[in-house]
Amino acid sequence: MTRGAHTVTVVGGRGAVGTMLAEWAAADGDGDGDAVIVVDLPGRVAGDSTGPSGAGIDGAGIDGAGIDGAGIDTVASGTVPGDVTAPEAALVSVLARTDVLILAVPESVAVACLPIVEALLPAGALVVDTLSVKSRYAAALDEVGFGHRAVGVNPMFAPSLSPDGRAVAVVAYDGRPVPADLREPWTRRGARVVSVSADEHDRLTATTQALTHATVLAFGRALGHLDVSVDDLLSLAAPPHLVTLALLSRVASGTPEVYREIQSANPYAEQARAALAAGVREVGKAARAGDSAFADLLDRARDPLRHRTEELRATCTALFADPALFPEPTDATPEGQPCPRT
Amino acid sequence: MTRGAHTVTVVGGRGAVGTMLAEWAAADGDGDGDAVIVVDLPGRVAGDSTGPSGAGIDGAGIDGAGIDGAGIDTVASGTVPGDVTAPEAALVSVLARTDVLILAVPESVAVACLPIVEALLPAGALVVDTLSVKSRYAAALDEVGFGHRAVGVNPMFAPSLSPDGRAVAVVAYDGRPVPADLREPWTRRGARVVSVSADEHDRLTATTQALTHATVLAFGRALGHLDVSVDDLLSLAAPPHLVTLALLSRVASGTPEVYREIQSANPYAEQARAALAAGVREVGKAARAGDSAFADLLDRARDPLRHRTEELRATCTALFADPALFPEPTDATPEGQPCPRT
C-alpha cells in the first residue's frame, strides 16, 4: 500500500478483498525490493479456490509459490500458510519484516490477532483492516493499547467490479489524516476516498449495507412464502420487480460470513432492521386507510431523498432503459399464451 | 383498438395509460372513418395537465377540440367532458356509437359504470379495462350479468417507457382467446402479450407489484426513521444501495391512487405484505443466530429464483456497470474529506 522498498503482507489474502489488495500492492510496487506476502489458512493457500473468494490469485502478478520457514528471507513475494492468531515460525518471520499489514479477515480474527501483531510488527508499521464494521475493532484497538498506526478501509463495491467511480470508506482510528500512500491505490483506480470515523462508518453502513441487504433478503423470503413461479414472475415483471429480483440474486449469493457480519457486528444494524419492520407496517396501515393516507405515505417514503430525488429518478429511468432488463422470452411464456403454472 | 371504421372511446383518456392508448388508437386507425373519442372529467379535459398523468394529449394525433352535444356527430375525433358513471347527453351519444370502450379509470369508477355502459353500448361492442387489479372487476361483471365482451389489459411498464420488450397482461374475462385486434397494438410496439385469468393476474401482480412496491416503500420509511443524510448515503453507497435508492425515488413518485389500488384492491396483496414482514423477522433472527443460520437464510432467500438465478445475476452485473450508477461527486463529499453531516 506504500511506495518504496516495502513488505506488504496480506492476511486473508486468498479472500476476495485480500486477493484484490494483494494484486494492487504487487502492481503498484516499484520493483526495487518490494515484497507482497499473502498469508491465509493452510487449506486456502494450497491452490484451493473453492472458498468464498472464488478468485485465485495465481498469475495475477504475485508469485504463487509457497514459502516455507527456511526460504522466507530468500524470495521477495509469495504465499505463507498460517493463522495470524497463532503464528508459527514462518509467519512470525514475515510479520517481523512487514511494513504494511493488511488484515482482510473476519472481525473475530482481526480482534484476536491484535496483541500478537502488536508484539511482532516492527516499529513504524501500518495495520490496515478491511472490516465491514469498524466500531468494535476500534474499541479493541483501544483496549489493547495498540501502538502501531491503524487505518481501516471498506471498499463499497464487490472486488469483481471496477473501482472506477465507486467509493471506499477510510477510517483513521487515531483521527489523524489518512496517509497519501494509503489513498493512492484507490484514487489511481478511480475510486473516491471518503474519510469517516469508525462510528460514522457504522452508522452509515447500517443503512447503505445492513438495511439494503435486509430489505432485499426479506423480499426474497417473501417470494418463498408466496410460492410463486419465477418463470411466471419474469413473464409479467415490470422493471421495478425485475430490478429487485436481480438485486436478490446478487445479495443472496454473497459470502454468508461477510453478510452476516454486516447484520450482526454493526451496533446500528438491529435499529435498521427495526426501522424496516416499522416501514412494512406503515405500508399496510396506509393501504388500509385510504387514498389520502397512501399519498401521504408516498410523500414520507420519498422525503429522505430530499434534493437528490430528481437525480435518483434520472438514474432509475436510465436503469429501466438498460438492455439487461429485457429478458428473452422463454418457452414457459410464449406470446399470447397462458402462463402454465399459475 | 380494432381495425376498420370504428369508434374507440377512451374514458379516463387524460390519465397516463388512457393517453397512451388513445394515441395508439389514433396512430393505428386506417383513417377511413375511424374516430377516437377521449372522455374525462370536466376538470381534466379543459387543458388541465396537472393531474396524475402529466402528459397532455394535444398534438399527439388526436384533435384536442372539445365536442359539445350538438357537434358530436359531425367530427370524427375529439374530447368529451363527462362522468361515465352519470353520463349526460354528449357522452350518452358517444357511448351509443362506440365499438371499443377503453376504461382507463380507477376500479371504483369501472365497477360503478358497468350497468350504464351495459345499457348504452351497441351490440358487439368490446369493453377494455386497464385496471391494476382484475378479480373484483371480474366479479362485478358477473354480478351485473354484463352482456358485452370484456377484456382487461395491464401494461407492466409506465407509459413513459417504451413498450418494446416489456410485458402486457391480458385477461379475457369469458375465457375465450384474446382477439387478435386487441393484441396487435401491443405486439406491433414490441410488447409481449401474456394471457392470464383474472385470478392468475392478481396472484402474480400481488408479487410483481404489491410486494415490490411495499418492499421499496418500507425501505424508504426506514430511511426516514434512521435520520440519515442522503448526501452521506450517496457518498458511500455501494451499487445495491444506489439501485434501491433509485427504485425508491421512482416508486414513491407514483400516482397515489394507482399505487394504493395495487395494495388495497388486490385480494392477495395483504398476504404479500405479511410475507414481507415475516421475511424481515427472519433476517433478524438469522443475524442473531450465527453464520450457519445466516448461510441458510441466504440459500432460502435465493431459492425462489431457481433456474433463473444465474440469468438474474448477469442482469444485476450489467445494471451495476450502468454508467447511471456513477454519480458525480458533490461538494458535500469531497475526496478524502470527512462526511460533514454524520
Side-chain angles (χ1 to χ4, degrees):
Chain A
M1 301 291 282
T2 62
R3 284 171 296 188
H6 280 126
T7 293
V8 177
T9 299
V10 186
V11 181
R14 288 293 194 183
V17 172
T19 297
M20 179 180 83
L21 295 180
E23 289 176 2
W24 289 10
D28 293 351
D30 62 11
D32 185 17
D34 280 3
V36 178
I37 309 287
V38 167
V39 178
D40 215 322
L41 297 176
R44 290 165 59 92
V45 294
D48 174 15
S49 64
T50 59
S53 81
I57 196 171
D58 300 325
I62 301 176
D63 177 8
I67 302 173
D68 60 25
I72 190 64
D73 291 326
T74 64
V75 296
S77 299
T79 59
V80 176
D83 176 356
V84 73
T85 65
E88 298 188 359
L91 183 49
V92 167
S93 169
V94 165
L95 290 171
R97 69 176 177 104
T98 290
D99 301 289
V100 177
L101 178 68
I102 299 178
L103 297 173
V105 295
E107 184 187 72
S108 58
V109 177
V111 168
C113 79
L114 285 180
I116 295 158
V117 303
E118 159 76 11
L120 294 176
L121 290 176
L126 174 69
V127 177
V128 180
D129 72 89
T130 67
L131 295 171
S132 299
V133 177
K134 302 298 191 191
S135 50
R136 297 209 304 202
Y137 177 77
L141 288 168
D142 282 345
E143 278 166 31
V144 302
F146 199 69
H148 303 284
R149 181 137 208 234
V151 176
V153 299
N154 187 8
M156 294 298 163
F157 53 93
S160 59
L161 297 174
S162 161
D164 189 26
R166 319 270 186 201
V168 57
V170 177
V171 176
Y173 294 103
D174 58 9
R176 287 157 52 205
V178 176
D181 284 357
L182 200 140
R183 290 206 307 269
E184 194 183 65
W186 303 92
T187 55
R188 75 163 57 174
R189 290 171 175 85
R192 287 179 296 109
V193 174
V194 181
S195 294
V196 284
S197 73
D199 187 67
E200 286 166 350
H201 174 278
D202 287 1
R203 278 177 53 85
L204 277 173
T205 57
T207 298
T208 61
Q209 297 189 314
L211 174 65
T212 305
H213 298 173
T215 300
V216 172
L217 293 172
F219 169 83
R221 286 303 300 137
L223 291 183
H225 293 307
L226 295 172
D227 192 26
V228 281
S229 144
V230 66
D231 289 323
D232 292 347
L233 294 181
L234 286 171
S235 80
L236 265 194
H241 186 64
L242 273 177
V243 170
T244 314
L245 289 175
L247 286 175
L248 172 61
S249 73
R250 182 151 190 131
V251 170
S253 300
T255 307
E257 296 77 13
V258 174
Y259 278 63
R260 193 217 159 198
E261 197 161 290
I262 286 168
Q263 296 294 332
S264 68
N266 190 321
Y268 302 105
E270 182 141 11
Q271 183 186 359
R273 294 191 300 270
L276 179 62
V280 175
R281 288 192 297 271
E282 286 172 67
V283 174
K285 192 174 172 188
R288 289 185 291 271
D291 280 355
S292 149
F294 208 78
D296 185 51
L297 173 78
L298 293 187
D299 285 345
R300 284 182 292 125
R302 198 174 56 235
D303 183 62
L305 305 181
R306 302 198 178 266
H307 61 289
R308 310 294 287 266
T309 305
E310 288 311 311
E311 169 190 342
L312 285 162
R313 286 184 68 176
T315 298
C316 197
T317 299
L319 289 179
F320 284 2
D322 193 302
L325 279 191
F326 301 81
E328 294 295 317
T330 68
D331 290 345
T333 56
E335 188 175 275
Q337 297 301 308
C339 284
R341 295 188 47 190
T342 51
Chain B
M1 301 288 280
T2 62
R3 284 172 298 189
H6 282 122
T7 292
V8 177
T9 300
V10 186
V11 181
R14 287 291 194 185
V17 173
T19 298
M20 178 180 83
L21 295 181
E23 289 175 2
W24 289 10
D28 294 350
D30 60 11
D32 184 17
D34 279 2
V36 178
I37 310 287
V38 167
V39 178
D40 215 322
L41 297 175
R44 289 166 59 92
V45 295
D48 174 15
S49 64
T50 59
S53 81
I57 196 169
D58 301 326
I62 300 178
D63 177 8
I67 302 175
D68 60 25
I72 191 64
D73 292 325
T74 64
V75 295
S77 299
T79 59
V80 176
D83 177 355
V84 72
T85 65
E88 297 187 359
L91 182 50
V92 167
S93 168
V94 165
L95 291 172
R97 69 176 177 104
T98 290
D99 300 289
V100 178
L101 178 68
I102 299 178
L103 297 173
V105 294
E107 186 188 69
S108 58
V109 177
V111 168
C113 80
L114 284 180
I116 294 156
V117 302
E118 160 76 12
L120 293 177
L121 290 177
L126 174 68
V127 177
V128 179
D129 71 89
T130 66
L131 295 171
S132 298
V133 178
K134 303 297 192 190
S135 50
R136 295 207 308 203
Y137 177 76
L141 288 169
D142 281 345
E143 278 166 29
V144 303
F146 199 69
H148 303 283
R149 183 137 204 234
V151 175
V153 299
N154 187 8
M156 294 298 163
F157 52 93
S160 58
L161 298 173
S162 160
D164 191 24
R166 318 269 186 203
V168 56
V170 177
V171 176
Y173 294 103
D174 57 9
R176 287 155 54 202
V178 176
D181 284 358
L182 200 141
R183 290 206 308 269
E184 195 183 64
W186 304 92
T187 55
R188 78 164 53 177
R189 290 171 175 86
R192 288 179 295 108
V193 174
V194 181
S195 294
V196 284
S197 72
D199 187 68
E200 287 165 350
H201 174 278
D202 288 1
R203 277 178 53 85
L204 277 172
T205 56
T207 299
T208 60
Q209 297 189 312
L211 174 64
T212 305
H213 298 173
T215 300
V216 172
L217 293 172
F219 169 84
R221 286 303 299 134
L223 291 182
H225 293 306
L226 294 172
D227 192 25
V228 281
S229 144
V230 66
D231 288 324
D232 292 346
L233 294 181
L234 285 171
S235 80
L236 265 194
H241 187 64
L242 273 177
V243 170
T244 314
L245 289 175
L247 286 175
L248 172 61
S249 73
R250 180 149 190 134
V251 170
S253 300
T255 308
E257 296 77 12
V258 173
Y259 278 63
R260 193 216 158 201
E261 196 162 291
I262 286 169
Q263 296 294 332
S264 68
N266 189 322
Y268 300 105
E270 182 141 12
Q271 184 185 357
R273 293 192 300 269
L276 179 61
V280 175
R281 288 191 297 271
E282 286 173 67
V283 174
K285 192 175 170 187
R288 289 184 292 270
D291 280 355
S292 147
F294 208 79
D296 185 52
L297 173 77
L298 293 186
D299 285 344
R300 285 183 290 124
R302 199 175 56 234
D303 184 63
L305 305 180
R306 303 201 178 264
H307 61 289
R308 310 295 288 269
T309 305
E310 288 311 310
E311 170 190 341
L312 285 161
R313 287 184 67 178
T315 298
C316 196
T317 300
L319 289 179
F320 284 3
D322 194 300
L325 280 191
F326 300 82
E328 294 295 319
T330 67
D331 289 344
T333 57
E335 187 173 277
Q337 297 302 308
C339 283
R341 296 187 47 189
T342 51

